[in-house]
Amino acid sequence: SRQLATATGLTPSQLLVLREIDMRGSATPGTIAQALQFSQATITAIVDRLEALGFVQRERSKRDKRQFHLSTLPSGKAALADA
């Protein structure tokens, strides 16, 4: 995990979340939490960090303004490739 953190700047949990978002293309935090069996609060904290790093973006749902959709940005895809 130290090599991973050095190479990408990501923890194993952050990498799992980033990979899951990238696999799904666009997903809600609840979907990611269910898939990885993490709490919603944990996903929110990890996504906050990934968003600050410029790896993912949050977009408010057009159909339901209460929901956010997560998607991977090019720098996130590059971090996954490096990992």
Side-chain angles (χ1 to χ4, degrees):
S1 68
R2 287 184 189 176
Q3 290 176 343
L4 176 67
T6 303
T8 63
L10 297 173
T11 64
S13 297
Q14 290 170 339
L15 182 63
L16 281 173
V17 171
L18 184 60
R19 184 178 295 149
E20 190 69 27
I21 294 169
D22 189 52
M23 259 184 12
R24 294 176 183 271
S26 176
T28 63
T31 304
I32 301 299
Q34 279 184 328
L36 297 175
Q37 297 182 347
F38 286 176
S39 72
Q40 184 105 15
T42 300
I43 295 297
T44 299
I46 291 173
V47 169
D48 286 344
R49 175 79 172 133
L50 292 174
E51 190 176 34
L53 291 169
F55 292 161
V56 299
Q57 72 175 5
R58 282 187 176 113
E59 227 178 304
R60 196 171 286 278
S61 173
K62 291 175 177 58
R63 290 182 17 200
D64 185 351
K65 299 294 183 190
R66 297 171 295 174
Q67 282 191 334
F68 287 95
H69 289 279
L70 305 170
S71 57
T72 311
L73 295 172
S75 57
K77 291 182 186 293
L80 283 172
D82 289 346

Coordinates of all heavy atoms in Angstrom, one line a residue:
S1 N 0.8 -1.2 0.0 CA 0.0 0.0 0.0 C 0.9 1.3 0.0 O 0.4 2.3 -0.5 CB -1.0 0.0 1.2 OG -0.3 0.1 2.4
R2 N 2.1 1.1 0.5 CA 3.0 2.3 0.5 C 3.4 2.6 -0.9 O 3.5 3.8 -1.3 CB 4.2 2.1 1.4 CG 3.9 2.2 2.9 CD 5.1 2.0 3.7 NE 4.7 1.9 5.1 CZ 5.5 1.7 6.1 NH1 6.8 1.5 5.8 NH2 5.1 1.6 7.3
Q3 N 3.7 1.5 -1.7 CA 4.1 1.7 -3.1 C 3.0 2.4 -3.9 O 3.2 3.2 -4.7 CB 4.5 0.4 -3.7 CG 5.8 -0.1 -3.2 CD 6.1 -1.5 -3.8 OE1 5.3 -2.2 -4.3 NE2 7.4 -1.9 -3.7
L4 N 1.8 1.9 -3.6 CA 0.6 2.4 -4.3 C 0.4 3.9 -3.9 O 0.2 4.7 -4.8 CB -0.7 1.7 -3.8 CG -2.0 2.2 -4.3 CD1 -2.1 2.0 -5.9 CD2 -3.1 1.4 -3.7
A5 N 0.6 4.3 -2.7 CA 0.4 5.6 -2.2 C 1.5 6.5 -2.9 O 1.2 7.7 -3.3 CB 0.5 5.7 -0.7
T6 N 2.7 6.0 -3.0 CA 3.8 6.7 -3.6 C 3.6 6.9 -5.1 O 3.8 8.0 -5.6 CB 5.1 6.0 -3.4 OG1 5.3 5.8 -2.0 CG2 6.3 6.8 -3.9
A7 N 3.1 5.9 -5.7 CA 2.9 6.0 -7.2 C 1.7 6.8 -7.6 O 1.8 7.6 -8.6 CB 2.7 4.6 -7.8
T8 N 0.6 6.7 -6.8 CA -0.6 7.4 -7.3 C -1.1 8.5 -6.3 O -1.9 9.3 -6.6 CB -1.7 6.4 -7.4 OG1 -2.0 5.8 -6.2 CG2 -1.4 5.3 -8.5
G9 N -0.6 8.4 -5.1 CA -1.1 9.4 -4.1 C -2.4 8.9 -3.5 O -3.1 9.7 -2.8
L10 N -2.8 7.7 -3.7 CA -4.1 7.1 -3.3 C -3.9 6.0 -2.2 O -3.0 5.2 -2.3 CB -4.9 6.6 -4.4 CG -5.3 7.5 -5.5 CD1 -5.9 6.8 -6.7 CD2 -6.2 8.6 -5.0
T11 N -4.9 6.0 -1.3 CA -4.9 4.8 -0.4 C -5.6 3.7 -1.1 O -6.3 3.9 -2.1 CB -5.7 5.2 0.9 OG1 -7.0 5.5 0.5 CG2 -5.1 6.4 1.6
P12 N -5.5 2.5 -0.6 CA -6.2 1.3 -1.2 C -7.7 1.6 -1.3 O -8.4 1.2 -2.3 CB -5.9 0.1 -0.3 CG -4.5 0.5 0.3 CD -4.6 2.0 0.5
S13 N -8.3 2.1 -0.2 CA -9.8 2.4 -0.2 C -10.1 3.4 -1.3 O -11.1 3.3 -2.0 CB -10.2 2.9 1.1 OG -10.0 2.0 2.1
Q14 N -9.3 4.5 -1.4 CA -9.6 5.5 -2.5 C -9.5 4.8 -3.9 O -10.3 5.1 -4.8 CB -8.6 6.6 -2.4 CG -8.8 7.5 -1.2 CD -7.7 8.5 -0.9 OE1 -6.6 8.3 -1.4 NE2 -8.0 9.5 -0.1
L15 N -8.5 4.0 -4.0 CA -8.3 3.3 -5.3 C -9.5 2.4 -5.6 O -10.0 2.4 -6.8 CB -7.0 2.5 -5.4 CG -6.7 1.7 -6.7 CD1 -6.5 2.7 -7.8 CD2 -5.5 0.9 -6.5
L16 N -10.0 1.7 -4.6 CA -11.2 0.8 -4.8 C -12.4 1.7 -5.3 O -13.1 1.3 -6.2 CB -11.6 0.1 -3.5 CG -10.8 -1.1 -3.2 CD1 -11.1 -1.6 -1.8 CD2 -11.0 -2.2 -4.2
V17 N -12.6 2.8 -4.6 CA -13.8 3.6 -4.9 C -13.6 4.2 -6.3 O -14.5 4.2 -7.2 CB -13.9 4.8 -3.9 CG1 -15.0 5.8 -4.4 CG2 -14.3 4.2 -2.6
L18 N -12.4 4.7 -6.7 CA -12.1 5.2 -8.0 C -12.3 4.2 -9.1 O -13.0 4.4 -10.1 CB -10.7 5.8 -8.0 CG -10.3 6.5 -9.3 CD1 -11.2 7.7 -9.6 CD2 -8.8 6.9 -9.2
R19 N -11.9 3.0 -8.8 CA -12.0 1.9 -9.8 C -13.5 1.6 -10.0 O -13.9 1.3 -11.1 CB -11.3 0.7 -9.4 CG -11.3 -0.5 -10.4 CD -10.5 -1.7 -9.9 NE -9.1 -1.3 -9.9 CZ -8.3 -1.9 -9.0 NH1 -8.7 -2.8 -8.2 NH2 -7.0 -1.5 -9.0
E20 N -14.3 1.5 -8.9 CA -15.7 1.2 -9.0 C -16.4 2.3 -9.8 O -17.3 2.0 -10.6 CB -16.3 1.0 -7.6 CG -17.7 0.5 -7.6 CD -17.7 -1.0 -8.0 OE1 -16.8 -1.7 -7.8 OE2 -18.8 -1.4 -8.5
I21 N -16.1 3.5 -9.6 CA -16.8 4.6 -10.3 C -16.4 4.5 -11.8 O -17.3 4.7 -12.6 CB -16.3 6.0 -9.7 CG1 -16.9 6.2 -8.3 CG2 -16.8 7.1 -10.6 CD1 -16.3 7.4 -7.6
D22 N -15.2 4.2 -12.1 CA -14.7 4.2 -13.5 C -15.4 3.0 -14.2 O -15.8 3.1 -15.3 CB -13.2 4.0 -13.5 CG -12.7 4.1 -14.9 OD1 -13.0 5.1 -15.6 OD2 -11.9 3.2 -15.4
M23 N -15.5 1.8 -13.5 CA -16.2 0.7 -14.1 C -17.6 0.9 -14.4 O -18.1 0.5 -15.5 CB -16.1 -0.5 -13.1 CG -15.1 -1.5 -13.3 SD -15.1 -2.9 -12.2 CE -16.6 -2.9 -11.4
R24 N -18.3 1.7 -13.6 CA -19.7 1.9 -13.8 C -20.0 3.1 -14.7 O -21.1 3.3 -15.2 CB -20.4 2.2 -12.5 CG -20.4 0.9 -11.6 CD -21.0 1.2 -10.2 NE -20.9 0.0 -9.4 CZ -21.9 -0.9 -9.4 NH1 -23.0 -0.8 -10.1 NH2 -21.8 -1.9 -8.6
G25 N -19.0 3.9 -15.0 CA -19.2 5.1 -15.9 C -19.7 6.2 -15.1 O -19.2 7.3 -15.1
S26 N -20.9 6.1 -14.6 CA -21.6 7.1 -13.8 C -22.4 6.3 -12.7 O -23.1 5.4 -13.0 CB -22.5 7.9 -14.6 OG -23.2 8.9 -13.9
A27 N -22.2 6.7 -11.5 CA -22.9 6.0 -10.4 C -23.2 7.0 -9.2 O -22.5 8.0 -9.1 CB -22.0 4.9 -9.9
T28 N -24.2 6.6 -8.4 CA -24.5 7.4 -7.3 C -23.6 6.9 -6.1 O -23.1 5.8 -6.1 CB -25.9 7.3 -6.9 OG1 -26.2 5.9 -6.5 CG2 -26.9 7.7 -8.0
P29 N -23.3 7.8 -5.1 CA -22.6 7.3 -4.0 C -23.2 6.1 -3.3 O -22.5 5.2 -2.8 CB -22.6 8.5 -3.0 CG -22.7 9.7 -4.0 CD -23.6 9.2 -5.1
G30 N -24.5 6.0 -3.2 CA -25.2 4.9 -2.6 C -24.9 3.6 -3.3 O -24.7 2.5 -2.7
T31 N -24.9 3.6 -4.7 CA -24.5 2.5 -5.5 C -23.1 2.0 -5.2 O -22.9 0.8 -5.0 CB -24.7 2.8 -7.0 OG1 -26.0 3.3 -7.2 CG2 -24.4 1.6 -7.8
I32 N -22.2 2.9 -5.1 CA -20.8 2.6 -4.8 C -20.7 2.0 -3.4 O -20.0 1.0 -3.2 CB -19.9 3.8 -5.0 CG1 -20.0 4.4 -6.4 CG2 -18.4 3.5 -4.6 CD1 -19.5 3.5 -7.5
A33 N -21.4 2.6 -2.4 CA -21.4 2.1 -1.1 C -21.9 0.7 -1.0 O -21.3 -0.2 -0.3 CB -22.2 3.0 -0.2
Q34 N -22.9 0.4 -1.7 CA -23.5 -1.0 -1.7 C -22.5 -2.0 -2.3 O -22.3 -3.1 -1.8 CB -24.8 -1.0 -2.4 CG -26.0 -0.6 -1.6 CD -27.3 -0.8 -2.4 OE1 -27.3 -0.7 -3.6 NE2 -28.3 -1.0 -1.6
A35 N -21.9 -1.6 -3.5 CA -21.1 -2.5 -4.2 C -19.8 -2.8 -3.4 O -19.3 -4.0 -3.4 CB -20.7 -1.8 -5.5
L36 N -19.3 -1.8 -2.7 CA -18.0 -2.1 -1.9 C -18.3 -2.4 -0.4 O -17.3 -2.7 0.3 CB -17.1 -0.8 -2.0 CG -16.7 -0.5 -3.4 CD1 -15.9 0.9 -3.3 CD2 -15.8 -1.6 -4.0
Q37 N -19.6 -2.4 0.0 CA -19.9 -2.7 1.4 C -19.3 -1.7 2.3 O -18.7 -2.1 3.4 CB -19.7 -4.1 1.7 CG -20.5 -5.1 0.9 CD -20.3 -6.5 1.3 OE1 -19.4 -6.9 2.0 NE2 -21.2 -7.4 0.8
F38 N -19.2 -0.4 1.9 CA -18.8 0.7 2.8 C -20.0 1.5 3.2 O -21.0 1.4 2.6 CB -17.8 1.6 2.0 CG -16.5 1.1 1.7 CD1 -15.6 1.9 0.9 CD2 -16.0 -0.1 2.1 CE1 -14.3 1.4 0.6 CE2 -14.7 -0.6 1.8 CZ -13.9 0.2 1.1
S39 N -19.8 2.2 4.3 CA -20.9 3.1 4.7 C -21.0 4.3 3.7 O -20.0 4.7 3.1 CB -20.7 3.6 6.1 OG -19.7 4.5 6.2
Q40 N -22.2 4.9 3.7 CA -22.4 6.1 2.8 C -21.4 7.2 3.3 O -20.9 7.9 2.5 CB -23.8 6.5 2.9 CG -24.1 7.7 2.0 CD -24.9 7.2 0.7 OE1 -25.4 6.1 0.7 NE2 -25.0 8.1 -0.3
A41 N -21.3 7.3 4.6 CA -20.4 8.4 5.1 C -18.9 8.2 4.7 O -18.2 9.1 4.3 CB -20.5 8.4 6.6
T42 N -18.5 6.9 4.7 CA -17.1 6.6 4.2 C -17.0 7.0 2.7 O -15.9 7.6 2.4 CB -16.8 5.1 4.5 OG1 -16.9 4.9 5.8 CG2 -15.4 4.8 4.0
I43 N -17.9 6.6 1.9 CA -17.9 6.9 0.5 C -17.8 8.4 0.3 O -17.0 9.0 -0.5 CB -19.1 6.3 -0.3 CG1 -19.0 4.8 -0.2 CG2 -19.1 6.8 -1.7 CD1 -17.8 4.2 -0.9
T44 N -18.6 9.2 1.0 CA -18.7 10.6 0.9 C -17.3 11.2 1.2 O -16.8 12.1 0.5 CB -19.7 11.2 1.8 OG1 -21.0 10.7 1.4 CG2 -19.7 12.8 1.7
A45 N -16.7 10.8 2.3 CA -15.3 11.3 2.7 C -14.3 10.9 1.6 O -13.5 11.8 1.3 CB -14.9 10.7 4.0
I46 N -14.3 9.7 1.1 CA -13.4 9.3 0.1 C -13.6 10.1 -1.2 O -12.7 10.6 -1.9 CB -13.5 7.8 -0.2 CG1 -12.9 7.0 1.0 CG2 -12.7 7.4 -1.5 CD1 -13.1 5.5 1.0
V47 N -14.9 10.3 -1.6 CA -15.2 11.0 -2.8 C -14.8 12.5 -2.7 O -14.3 13.1 -3.6 CB -16.7 10.9 -3.2 CG1 -17.1 11.9 -4.3 CG2 -16.9 9.5 -3.7
D48 N -14.9 13.1 -1.5 CA -14.5 14.4 -1.2 C -13.0 14.5 -1.5 O -12.5 15.5 -2.2 CB -14.7 14.8 0.2 CG -16.2 15.1 0.5 OD1 -17.0 15.3 -0.4 OD2 -16.5 15.2 1.8
R49 N -12.2 13.6 -1.1 CA -10.8 13.6 -1.3 C -10.4 13.4 -2.8 O -9.6 14.1 -3.3 CB -10.1 12.5 -0.5 CG -8.7 12.3 -0.7 CD -7.8 13.3 0.0 NE -6.4 13.0 -0.1 CZ -5.5 13.8 -0.4 NH1 -5.8 15.1 -0.6 NH2 -4.3 13.4 -0.5
L50 N -11.1 12.5 -3.4 CA -10.9 12.2 -4.9 C -11.3 13.4 -5.7 O -10.6 13.8 -6.7 CB -11.7 11.0 -5.3 CG -11.2 9.6 -4.8 CD1 -12.1 8.5 -5.2 CD2 -9.8 9.3 -5.2
E51 N -12.3 14.1 -5.3 CA -12.7 15.3 -6.0 C -11.7 16.4 -5.8 O -11.4 17.2 -6.8 CB -14.1 15.8 -5.5 CG -14.7 16.8 -6.3 CD -16.2 17.2 -5.9 OE1 -16.5 17.1 -4.7 OE2 -17.0 17.5 -6.8
A52 N -11.2 16.6 -4.6 CA -10.2 17.6 -4.3 C -8.9 17.3 -5.1 O -8.2 18.3 -5.6 CB -9.8 17.6 -2.8
L53 N -8.6 16.1 -5.4 CA -7.4 15.7 -6.2 C -7.7 15.8 -7.7 O -6.8 15.7 -8.5 CB -7.0 14.2 -5.9 CG -6.4 14.0 -4.5 CD1 -6.3 12.5 -4.3 CD2 -5.1 14.7 -4.4
G54 N -9.0 16.1 -8.1 CA -9.3 16.2 -9.5 C -9.5 14.9 -10.2 O -9.3 14.8 -11.4
F55 N -9.8 13.8 -9.5 CA -9.9 12.5 -10.1 C -11.4 12.2 -10.5 O -11.6 11.4 -11.4 CB -9.4 11.4 -9.2 CG -7.9 11.4 -9.0 CD1 -7.3 10.8 -8.0 CD2 -7.0 12.1 -9.9 CE1 -5.9 10.8 -7.8 CE2 -5.7 12.1 -9.8 CZ -5.1 11.5 -8.7
V56 N -12.3 12.7 -9.7 CA -13.7 12.5 -10.0 C -14.5 13.8 -9.9 O -14.0 14.8 -9.4 CB -14.4 11.5 -9.0 CG1 -13.7 10.1 -9.0 CG2 -14.4 12.0 -7.6
Q57 N -15.7 13.7 -10.5 CA -16.6 14.9 -10.4 C -17.9 14.5 -10.0 O -18.4 13.3 -10.3 CB -16.6 15.6 -11.7 CG -17.4 15.0 -12.8 CD -17.6 15.8 -14.1 OE1 -17.0 16.9 -14.1 NE2 -18.3 15.4 -15.0
R58 N -18.6 15.4 -9.3 CA -20.0 15.1 -8.8 C -20.9 16.0 -9.7 O -20.6 17.1 -10.0 CB -20.2 15.6 -7.4 CG -19.7 14.8 -6.4 CD -20.1 15.4 -5.0 NE -19.7 14.5 -3.9 CZ -18.8 14.8 -3.0 NH1 -18.2 16.0 -3.1 NH2 -18.5 14.0 -2.1
E59 N -21.9 15.4 -10.2 CA -22.9 16.1 -11.0 C -24.3 15.8 -10.4 O -24.6 14.7 -10.2 CB -22.8 15.6 -12.4 CG -22.8 16.6 -13.5 CD -22.7 16.0 -14.9 OE1 -21.8 15.2 -15.1 OE2 -23.6 16.3 -15.7
R60 N -25.0 16.9 -10.2 CA -26.4 16.7 -9.7 C -27.3 16.0 -10.7 O -27.2 16.4 -11.9 CB -27.0 18.0 -9.3 CG -28.2 17.9 -8.4 CD -28.6 19.3 -7.8 NE -27.7 19.8 -6.7 CZ -27.8 19.4 -5.5 NH1 -28.6 18.5 -5.1 NH2 -27.0 19.9 -4.6
S61 N -28.1 15.1 -10.3 CA -29.0 14.4 -11.2 C -30.0 15.4 -11.8 O -30.5 16.2 -11.1 CB -29.7 13.3 -10.5 OG -30.7 12.7 -11.3
K62 N -30.3 15.2 -13.1 CA -31.3 16.1 -13.7 C -32.7 15.7 -13.3 O -33.6 16.5 -13.3 CB -31.1 16.0 -15.2 CG -29.8 16.7 -15.7 CD -29.6 16.5 -17.2 CE -28.4 17.3 -17.7 NZ -27.1 16.9 -17.1
R63 N -32.9 14.4 -13.1 CA -34.2 13.9 -12.7 C -34.5 14.0 -11.3 O -35.7 14.3 -10.9 CB -34.3 12.4 -13.1 CG -34.4 12.2 -14.6 CD -34.5 10.7 -15.0 NE -35.0 9.9 -14.0 CZ -34.9 8.6 -14.0 NH1 -34.3 8.0 -15.0 NH2 -35.4 7.8 -13.0
D64 N -33.5 13.9 -10.4 CA -33.8 14.0 -9.0 C -32.7 14.8 -8.4 O -31.5 14.4 -8.2 CB -33.8 12.6 -8.3 CG -34.1 12.6 -6.8 OD1 -34.2 13.7 -6.2 OD2 -34.3 11.5 -6.3
K65 N -33.0 16.1 -8.0 CA -32.0 17.0 -7.6 C -31.3 16.6 -6.3 O -30.3 17.2 -5.9 CB -32.6 18.4 -7.4 CG -33.2 19.0 -8.7 CD -32.1 19.2 -9.7 CE -32.6 19.8 -11.0 NZ -31.7 19.9 -12.0
R66 N -31.9 15.7 -5.6 CA -31.3 15.2 -4.3 C -30.1 14.3 -4.5 O -29.2 14.1 -3.7 CB -32.3 14.5 -3.4 CG -33.5 15.3 -3.0 CD -34.5 14.5 -2.4 NE -35.1 13.6 -3.4 CZ -36.0 12.7 -3.1 NH1 -36.4 12.5 -1.9 NH2 -36.4 11.9 -4.1
Q67 N -30.0 13.7 -5.7 CA -28.9 12.7 -6.0 C -27.8 13.4 -6.8 O -27.9 14.3 -7.5 CB -29.5 11.6 -6.9 CG -30.3 10.6 -6.1 CD -30.6 9.4 -6.9 OE1 -30.6 9.4 -8.2 NE2 -30.8 8.3 -6.3
F68 N -26.6 12.8 -6.6 CA -25.4 13.1 -7.3 C -24.9 11.9 -8.1 O -25.1 10.8 -7.6 CB -24.3 13.6 -6.4 CG -24.5 14.9 -5.7 CD1 -25.1 15.0 -4.5 CD2 -24.1 16.0 -6.4 CE1 -25.3 16.2 -3.9 CE2 -24.3 17.3 -5.8 CZ -24.9 17.4 -4.6
H69 N -24.4 12.2 -9.3 CA -23.8 11.1 -10.1 C -22.3 11.4 -10.1 O -21.8 12.5 -10.2 CB -24.3 11.1 -11.5 CG -25.7 10.6 -11.6 ND1 -26.0 9.3 -11.5 CD2 -26.9 11.3 -11.6 CE1 -27.4 9.1 -11.6 NE2 -27.9 10.3 -11.6
L70 N -21.5 10.3 -9.9 CA -20.1 10.4 -9.8 C -19.5 9.9 -11.2 O -20.0 8.9 -11.7 CB -19.5 9.6 -8.7 CG -20.1 9.9 -7.3 CD1 -19.6 8.8 -6.3 CD2 -19.6 11.3 -6.9
S71 N -18.5 10.6 -11.7 CA -17.8 10.1 -12.9 C -16.3 10.4 -12.8 O -15.9 11.3 -12.1 CB -18.4 10.7 -14.1 OG -18.3 12.1 -14.1
T72 N -15.6 9.6 -13.5 CA -14.1 9.7 -13.4 C -13.6 10.7 -14.4 O -14.1 10.7 -15.6 CB -13.5 8.3 -13.8 OG1 -14.1 7.3 -13.0 CG2 -12.0 8.3 -13.5
L73 N -12.7 11.5 -14.0 CA -12.1 12.5 -14.9 C -10.8 11.9 -15.5 O -10.3 10.9 -15.1 CB -11.7 13.8 -14.1 CG -12.9 14.5 -13.5 CD1 -12.4 15.7 -12.6 CD2 -13.8 15.1 -14.7
P74 N -10.3 12.5 -16.6 CA -9.1 11.9 -17.2 C -7.9 11.7 -16.3 O -7.2 10.7 -16.4 CB -8.8 13.0 -18.3 CG -10.1 13.6 -18.7 CD -10.8 13.6 -17.4
S75 N -7.7 12.6 -15.3 CA -6.6 12.4 -14.4 C -6.9 11.2 -13.5 O -6.0 10.5 -13.1 CB -6.4 13.7 -13.5 OG -7.6 14.0 -12.8
G76 N -8.2 10.9 -13.2 CA -8.5 9.7 -12.4 C -8.2 8.5 -13.2 O -7.8 7.5 -12.7
K77 N -8.5 8.5 -14.5 CA -8.2 7.3 -15.4 C -6.7 7.1 -15.5 O -6.3 6.0 -15.4 CB -8.8 7.6 -16.8 CG -10.4 7.5 -16.8 CD -10.9 7.7 -18.2 CE -12.4 7.8 -18.2 NZ -13.1 6.6 -17.8
A78 N -6.0 8.2 -15.5 CA -4.5 8.1 -15.5 C -4.0 7.5 -14.2 O -3.1 6.7 -14.2 CB -3.9 9.5 -15.8
A79 N -4.6 7.9 -13.1 CA -4.1 7.3 -11.8 C -4.4 5.9 -11.7 O -3.6 5.1 -11.2 CB -4.8 8.1 -10.7
L80 N -5.6 5.4 -12.3 CA -5.9 4.0 -12.3 C -4.9 3.3 -13.2 O -4.5 2.2 -12.8 CB -7.3 3.8 -12.8 CG -8.5 4.1 -11.9 CD1 -9.8 4.0 -12.6 CD2 -8.4 3.1 -10.7
A81 N -4.5 3.8 -14.3 CA -3.6 3.2 -15.2 C -2.2 3.1 -14.5 O -1.5 2.0 -14.6 CB -3.4 4.0 -16.5
D82 N -1.8 4.1 -13.7 CA -0.5 4.1 -13.0 C -0.6 3.0 -11.9 O 0.5 2.4 -11.6 CB -0.2 5.4 -12.4 CG 0.1 6.4 -13.4 OD1 0.4 6.1 -14.6 OD2 0.1 7.7 -13.1
A83 N -1.7 2.8 -11.3 CA -1.8 1.8 -10.2 C -1.7 0.4 -10.7 O -1.2 -0.4 -10.1 CB -3.1 2.0 -9.5

